[in-house]
Amino acid sequence: MVSINTTRKGASTNPFSKLLRSTGNWLPPFLGVGSFLLVWQILSMTGLIALPAPTSLFTEERTRNLIFYPFYDRGGLDKGLFWQTMASLGRVAQGYTLAALVGIGVGITIGLKPGINRAFDPLFQFLRMVAPLAWVPIALVLFQKNQPAAIFVIFITAVWPILINTAEGVRQIPQDYRNVALVLQMSSRRFFTKVLIPSALPYIFTGLRISIGLAWLAIIAAEIVMPGTVGIGFFIWDAYQQNYVGEIVLGVIWIGAIGLVLDRLMAWLQTRISAGQ
Amino acid sequence: MTTISSPSLVDVRAIDKSFALKGGGTYLALKGIDLEIRKGEFISLIGHSGCGKSTLLNMIAGLDLPSEGTVLLEGEAVKRPGPDKMVVFQNYSLLPWLTVRENIGLAVDEVMGDLSKAERDAVVQEHIEMVGLGPAVDKLPQQLSGGMRQRVSIARALAIRPKLLLLDEPFGALDALTRGNLQEKLMQICNENALTAVMVTHDVDEAVLLSDRIVMLTNGPGSKIGGILEVDIPRPRARLEVVHHPSYYSLRSEIIYFLNRQKRVKQWRARPHQVVARHGLEKVNLDLGFLPLAASAPLAVAEAHGLFTKHGLDEVSLIRETSWRGIVDGLVDGTLDASLMPAGMPTWMTAGGHGDAPLPIVTSLTLSRNGNGITLGRRLAEQGVRTVEDYRAYLKSHEREPHTMGIVHEASMHNLLLRYWLAANGIDPDKDVHLQALPPAQMLADLKDGSIDGYCVGAPWLDRAIRDGHGIAVAGDLAIWPGHPGKVLGLREDWAIAYPNTHIALTKALLEACQYCADPAHWAELSNLLSDRRYLGIKPELIRFSEASADVDRGGPESEGATPHHLFFGEGLNRPSRTEHLWMMTQMARWGEIPLPRNWVEILERVCQVGVFSTAARELGLEAISYQRQGIHLFDGQPFNADDPISYLNAQTIKRDFSVAEIPLAPPRRS
């Protein structure tokens, strides 16, 4: 026993072996991302693709400024990436909040009433399959203005996962809990707050998490075709029009990063909620 | 606890419940359920899975509505669930996002909204203390063990003061130790609060421990109440002490018998049951019942030596039952075609001794004679009891103690011989001792631990106690009535009328088997055959057919020169004797098992199918054995006049108040 302990201790205090073991965590992603960037770099330098190389994001002045000064504001559309992002996030916030309210509300209704569910389910399943970009022209026709149309596109993209998951969550309330409510002759208000919402919450959050990603995808589609609005989507479109390819690449990276942060944020919220269950 | 006069709280009236099936059609789960539950009573519903016991509970709870009939709670029809009939669910049904206090509080707040907040909190606290969960009050359900969760669930149910507490397998998912503790807790709470409760369970011991009455449900489809047992064990009960109450094991075995019977019927239903006619016989597929006894030898031989097939009965299955009651029920519900049975059973059932309407049973063959004996326990032997005189003196000097002797069935010769022997020796078999029907295997255990004085059984159980040194043979049947009938072939009269040629074929096959069994040269083989798991499943040297005497080495193999004890075949041995059946009927009337039938001549005429026997014997070329056996000679020399059984009964000094009654029998006909 003692000898085994000492060898184990010796092994774990050895800094080299510690390093070796932790490489298992960081080495593969480092190598993967690194080799991707390297291949890109080589392809760009040899002229096989027209995209600028990753290093050029720093060597080129426009993109370097955008990276290092995200907070500048020269009025009009000429703003730093931070402000562009905030404008987009603001729209997402509005559309997404609306989608959450409507999605949860309608989801609970159709979850509780199978009749209503049967009536509208085909419609929901159909609308769910329509791509965000396809909604843009309809939104513009409907609202005539860019801002409400953009919010509508976000809303209509984000609402379905929330609605469908909420309805499922309500349907999945265990019969035991329903029986308890029945036997106690619980008022509907108390049933709603004490049984329905807590029970369906994990499902609702799954819907919300899927939707935040979709909403962020939709904003780009919405903004690209709405000229003259501040936002990360139009920023890319504008850069494309003016042939600033480096800016496009930078914008894309920026969008990916924000999307990742939003998703992580919802995942963290989700674990917090389910930990409370 | 409860009295008959207390008003009924719940009245379940003529309930049917059917469910729509997915593929169309309906499944009838419950049929014609009537049940009254008195205030303060604890009722258990017991039955196999899927018998609809939970459905019945749900209908009492109002969670489900009956298809027909009504459930009344205090005279009002139950239409919806409500807190006055609170349910404790099997999987606890606590809300996982609420703490113990909040879960109970939720119910109290909802139901007792008219109380002030402080009063409601006090109610919650009181019930948390009641189930001993004070330290866990702010924990979430998943932080608790299963037993603790169920205690929360019980506390929640009790906190709202329901009129009726409904428990759906409340302890089913708990380990044995926790279950035991919770059962005691529940019992204590129910006693202290005079609660009325209905519990669904599949645990026999739990039902006996907790209940005032146990409702046994038959298997579906169309489950109904198969029986209701009153548990007469006084309260308060303690889990470890109830097992010593005299009723405990009889209640327990009653329930287990019921459940096994349900299983047997289910298996029987699962098999196809067309009547297969072949070889000029009306039915060749027969289910024959037997019990694991040495006297079952003819059935085993007929099967093993192909005698059934020889006489055209191609598809005979032997069905082993564990008690004679199983044979009775098998004949009543038609799951058995025919059976080995104690000699007294045909007249006993024909006279309605089994408690239902009289069911005419016929016998065409006496399968065995002798093979019984009376054994007394070692405890008595150690006190010098060697003879019946010693035993009588012993009973006089130990009057205060209960004296129980075991018998296997009230209609068996064991009971009649033991009673006759005791009475002839001046011991009243009901007043001086108590005779109890016990399964043979249990008798041996009871004799060992001294809870019975002795018993009268047949081989192989006869020898075992003596061999193992747990008892002494005090009187063999050869000393009481040598050559008395032992087991007979019995079947329903309507069956015999429907399948007359099959009846003759069956009699022939078994008579031939009897002839085989009677030859001492075959006994060693018979012992080996019967020791098979399909028949007796015990060691061959324990199965003996020769006379038990001191100079024979009972441990060794059967010797060919030994005196026969079991008689299977011979002149006048196999022919059903009206005189003997009358003697048995008279004895059963003497002890109040059945009334003495005024129409005894008709009954004997119908029970004893001498014609079938004679035909069978003639066709086998065995006319010689067809002679009538003459007279009945018992050890005390008392004559039995077969023309006047009533005078015979009147002449007995030790007897019960017997009655003479006409047994209403329908004219013989096919079912």
Side-chain angles (χ1 to χ4, degrees):
Chain A
M1 286 305 283
V2 175
S3 65
I4 293 169
N5 263 343
T6 46
T7 48
R8 273 205 189 138
K9 219 173 190 176
S12 64
T13 46
N14 183 343
F16 182 67
S17 72
K18 211 174 189 174
L19 189 74
L20 263 183
R21 252 183 296 143
S22 65
T23 51
N25 295 327
W26 57 262
L27 197 60
F30 180 82
L31 286 177
V33 175
S35 53
F36 169 74
L37 290 175
L38 191 68
V39 169
W40 179 3
Q41 182 79 30
I42 292 166
L43 286 175
S44 300
M45 283 165 71
T46 52
L48 274 171
I49 51 172
L51 275 181
T55 48
S56 72
L57 292 180
F58 296 93
T59 52
E60 219 176 279
E61 200 196 345
R62 281 194 73 91
T63 47
R64 193 172 61 223
N65 283 342
L66 281 168
I67 291 169
F68 290 114
Y69 307 102
F71 297 110
Y72 79 89
D73 183 358
R74 299 204 196 101
L77 298 178
D78 194 5
K79 290 179 164 58
L81 279 177
F82 175 78
W83 300 116
Q84 303 276 8
T85 310
M86 284 316 281
S88 294
L89 279 178
R91 276 183 210 109
V92 167
Q94 292 176 53
Y96 181 71
T97 309
L98 200 62
L101 290 176
V102 172
I104 294 173
V106 177
I108 289 174
T109 314
I110 65 170
L112 286 175
K113 309 281 182 203
I116 300 181
N117 180 41
R118 270 200 295 282
F120 288 102
D121 192 56
L123 186 67
F124 293 155
Q125 296 295 344
F126 170 76
L127 292 178
R128 184 167 81 89
M129 299 313 289
V130 179
L133 209 57
W135 285 109
V136 174
I138 292 176
L140 284 170
V141 172
L142 264 176
F143 294 97
Q144 306 292 336
K145 285 184 184 153
N146 284 343
Q147 185 70 3
I151 291 170
F152 174 77
V153 170
I154 294 160
F155 163 79
I156 204 78
T157 313
V159 74
W160 308 118
I162 302 178
L163 190 152
I164 288 165
N165 275 284
T166 304
E168 189 58 21
V170 172
R171 272 195 294 271
Q172 293 290 330
I173 297 175
Q175 188 60 38
D176 295 334
Y177 303 166
R178 289 176 190 270
N179 282 344
V180 169
L182 279 171
V183 169
L184 293 175
Q185 296 280 288
M186 232 180 241
S187 67
S188 33
R189 190 179 60 84
R190 208 187 290 261
F191 175 71
F192 192 79
T193 56
K194 297 285 184 183
V195 179
L196 187 142
I197 291 295
S199 179
L201 212 53
Y203 287 86
I204 296 176
F205 261 85
T206 306
L208 287 174
R209 186 177 166 191
I210 298 169
S211 281
I212 194 79
L214 288 179
W216 187 242
L217 292 182
I219 185 69
I220 310 305
E223 285 177 358
I224 279 176
V225 288
M226 288 167 194
T229 48
V230 180
I232 192 80
F234 185 68
F235 170 83
I236 292 175
W237 189 244
D238 194 36
Y240 171 69
Q241 299 285 0
Q242 300 182 43
N243 207 14
Y244 296 139
V245 186
E247 280 187 27
I248 300 175
V249 172
L250 187 60
V252 167
I253 292 171
W254 192 258
I255 287 170
I258 299 288
L260 198 63
V261 168
L262 286 176
D263 185 67
R264 290 291 113 193
L265 202 68
M266 285 309 290
W268 174 77
L269 261 177
Q270 201 174 10
T271 51
R272 283 298 301 272
I273 294 294
S274 47
Q277 293 271 314
Chain B
M1 275 305 299
T2 52
T3 56
I4 302 301
S5 60
S6 44
S8 72
L9 180 74
V10 180
D11 197 351
V12 177
R13 284 194 187 161
I15 275 190
D16 291 358
K17 177 70 188 175
S18 45
F19 296 101
L21 291 175
K22 277 224 173 81
T26 54
Y27 176 80
L28 182 63
L30 292 166
K31 172 116 190 92
I33 304 283
D34 280 298
L35 180 64
E36 266 190 48
I37 300 166
R38 296 186 286 266
K39 225 172 155 54
E41 207 176 15
F42 197 110
I43 300 267
S44 289
L45 305 176
I46 200 164
H48 284 292
S49 310
C51 73
K53 50 194 192 300
S54 289
T55 308
L56 179 56
L57 192 85
N58 282 345
M59 287 192 289
I60 298 173
L63 287 166
D64 211 341
L65 290 177
S67 311
E68 297 288 335
T70 48
V71 179
L72 301 177
L73 177 66
E74 291 186 322
E76 275 181 48
V78 172
K79 294 239 171 65
R80 65 177 69 80
D84 51 348
K85 33 197 186 297
M86 184 63 189
V87 186
V88 174
F89 299 94
Q90 181 182 13
N91 36 15
Y92 328 126
S93 294
L94 300 174
L95 300 179
W97 44 87
L98 300 181
T99 64
V100 169
R101 189 200 299 280
E102 287 165 343
N103 261 297
I104 301 173
L106 181 65
V108 172
D109 291 350
E110 192 63 54
V111 177
M112 302 178 160
D114 45 342
L115 298 182
S116 74
K117 181 87 183 82
E119 284 170 311
R120 279 180 279 156
D121 287 348
V123 170
V124 172
Q125 192 58 39
E126 179 199 335
H127 287 86
I128 290 171
E129 300 297 337
M130 179 195 263
V131 294
L133 279 175
V137 66
D138 289 317
K139 290 204 169 139
L140 290 170
Q142 76 259 40
Q143 295 169 291
L144 305 177
S145 68
M148 288 165 91
R149 286 185 217 180
Q150 192 57 290
R151 276 192 276 167
V152 179
S153 177
I154 290 171
R156 176 176 67 182
L158 295 176
I160 57 172
R161 307 221 174 284
K163 289 174 189 159
L164 180 63
L165 184 63
L166 301 166
L167 305 116
D168 190 357
E169 298 201 18
F171 311 127
L174 303 178
D175 65 274
L177 198 64
T178 315
R179 194 186 311 148
N181 290 336
L182 269 188
Q183 284 164 349
E184 295 221 315
K185 192 84 214 170
L186 176 65
M187 209 158 35
Q188 182 199 339
I189 292 170
C190 284
N191 282 358
E192 282 167 7
N193 300 281
L195 278 171
T196 312
V198 181
M199 176 178 73
V200 164
T201 183
H202 56 250
D203 181 333
V204 174
D205 294 290
E206 181 172 285
V208 177
L209 173 66
L210 294 174
S211 315
D212 294 307
R213 282 192 297 159
I214 300 166
V215 175
M216 301 183 291
L217 292 171
T218 62
N219 275 346
S223 301
K224 45 189 185 293
I225 294 178
I228 299 181
L229 294 178
E230 296 263 354
V231 181
D232 57 351
I233 304 174
R235 291 183 189 274
R237 298 173 188 165
R239 192 162 49 91
L240 297 175
E241 283 161 25
V242 286
V243 296
H244 299 302
H245 192 274
S247 302
Y248 187 82
Y249 277 105
S250 61
L251 285 166
R252 200 175 177 282
S253 54
E254 186 84 5
I255 301 170
I256 288 171
Y257 171 78
F258 177 85
L259 295 176
N260 283 338
R261 182 80 217 146
Q262 292 307 312
K263 203 160 91 189
R264 172 72 42 96
V265 171
K266 192 177 177 183
Q267 288 166 350
W268 186 82
R269 277 188 196 155
R271 284 186 282 141
H273 285 286
Q274 306 94 325
V275 171
V276 181
R278 208 179 285 157
H279 316 305
L281 302 176
E282 299 86 354
K283 189 175 195 290
V284 299
N285 53 331
L286 306 182
D287 283 344
L288 300 186
F290 76 101
L291 250 60
L293 296 168
S296 318
L299 276 76
V301 164
E303 185 179 55
H305 289 240
L307 296 176
F308 289 129
T309 319
K310 179 181 168 190
H311 292 282
L313 302 167
D314 296 339
E315 298 170 31
V316 174
S317 350
L318 296 187
I319 309 289
R320 186 166 80 170
E321 286 285 350
T322 49
S323 69
W324 292 119
R325 207 176 139 192
I327 300 282
V328 173
D329 287 345
L331 286 167
V332 169
D333 62 23
T335 52
L336 290 177
D337 289 291
S339 178
L340 175 85
M341 57 169 63
M345 199 173 262
T347 48
W348 178 74
M349 285 181 77
T350 306
H354 56 297
D356 292 332
L359 178 70
I361 297 290
V362 302
T363 177
S364 58
L365 184 63
T366 303
L367 289 165
S368 76
R369 289 173 182 270
N370 294 340
N372 301 316
I374 298 168
T375 308
L376 287 178
R378 191 177 55 187
R379 189 168 53 88
L380 294 172
E382 279 165 0
Q383 298 187 36
V385 179
R386 297 275 168 212
T387 64
V388 67
E389 288 79 23
D390 296 344
Y391 186 52
R392 188 171 57 223
Y394 173 83
L395 287 176
K396 286 271 181 298
S397 60
H398 293 75
E399 253 177 28
R400 301 255 172 97
E401 296 165 23
H403 295 281
T404 304
M405 292 194 80
I407 52 167
V408 285
H409 193 270
E410 54 263 50
S412 77
M413 279 310 282
H414 312 111
N415 180 34
L416 302 182
L417 286 180
L418 179 61
R419 283 173 180 274
Y420 191 95
W421 177 76
L422 288 170
N425 286 296
I427 300 170
D428 189 309
D430 289 310
K431 291 180 182 142
D432 297 333
V433 292
H434 168 68
L435 299 193
Q436 192 170 3
L438 296 167
Q442 196 192 324
M443 277 190 212
L444 197 61
D446 285 353
L447 193 75
K448 266 187 217 170
D449 73 13
S451 58
I452 58 174
D453 280 1
Y455 55 64
C456 179
V457 287
W461 308 103
L462 170 65
D463 285 341
R464 285 192 67 173
I466 300 163
R467 242 175 65 96
D468 301 347
H470 298 300
I472 54 158
V474 66
D477 53 0
L478 299 181
I480 302 172
W481 176 4
H484 68 81
K487 302 289 175 289
V488 299
L489 171 70
L491 41 88
R492 290 167 66 128
E493 186 185 53
D494 50 8
W495 188 96
I497 292 167
Y499 312 114
N501 291 322
T502 302
H503 191 187
I504 291 168
L506 179 63
T507 309
K508 278 159 73 179
L510 288 172
L511 184 57
E512 212 177 327
C514 283
Q515 189 179 18
Y516 187 89
C517 293
D519 186 347
H522 296 147
W523 287 347
E525 182 216 326
L526 284 185
S527 295
N528 277 321
L529 175 64
L530 284 178
S531 70
D532 189 276
R533 280 167 46 98
R534 280 179 300 154
Y535 307 118
L536 270 64
I538 61 172
K539 288 190 211 132
E541 55 267 30
L542 291 171
I543 306 165
R544 313 191 62 92
F545 302 97
S546 60
E547 193 178 344
S549 56
D551 56 325
V552 178
D553 173 20
R554 303 297 289 170
E558 200 91 59
S559 63
E560 287 184 25
T563 325
H565 185 196
H566 282 269
L567 301 176
F568 288 109
F569 180 81
E571 194 173 312
L573 291 186
N574 303 93
R575 185 183 199 266
S577 154
R578 294 190 189 91
T579 316
E580 284 172 356
H581 282 283
L582 178 61
W583 184 87
M584 290 183 269
M585 219 166 22
T586 311
Q587 293 297 325
M588 286 189 278
R590 178 183 180 185
W591 306 118
E593 315 281 12
I594 53 169
L596 185 71
R598 205 188 300 283
N599 50 338
W600 52 270
V601 176
E602 181 202 353
I603 287 182
L604 290 175
E605 207 52 51
R606 283 169 72 169
V607 166
C608 297
Q609 300 263 310
V610 181
V612 173
F613 173 80
S614 303
T615 310
R618 193 175 58 246
E619 288 180 8
L620 288 171
L622 297 169
E623 283 91 345
I625 62 156
S626 205
Y627 295 117
Q628 175 121 28
R629 197 176 161 78
Q630 289 306 315
I632 291 177
H633 304 288
L634 275 91
F635 71 102
D636 59 347
Q638 196 192 172
F640 177 71
N641 181 358
D643 294 328
D644 192 3
I646 294 173
S647 304
Y648 171 84
L649 277 181
N650 282 325
Q652 304 302 318
T653 46
I654 299 179
K655 60 172 183 278
R656 302 284 80 78
D657 293 331
F658 67 91
S659 58
V660 181
E662 178 85 15
I663 305 294
L665 291 182
R669 58 157 186 266
R670 302 179 56 143
S671 56

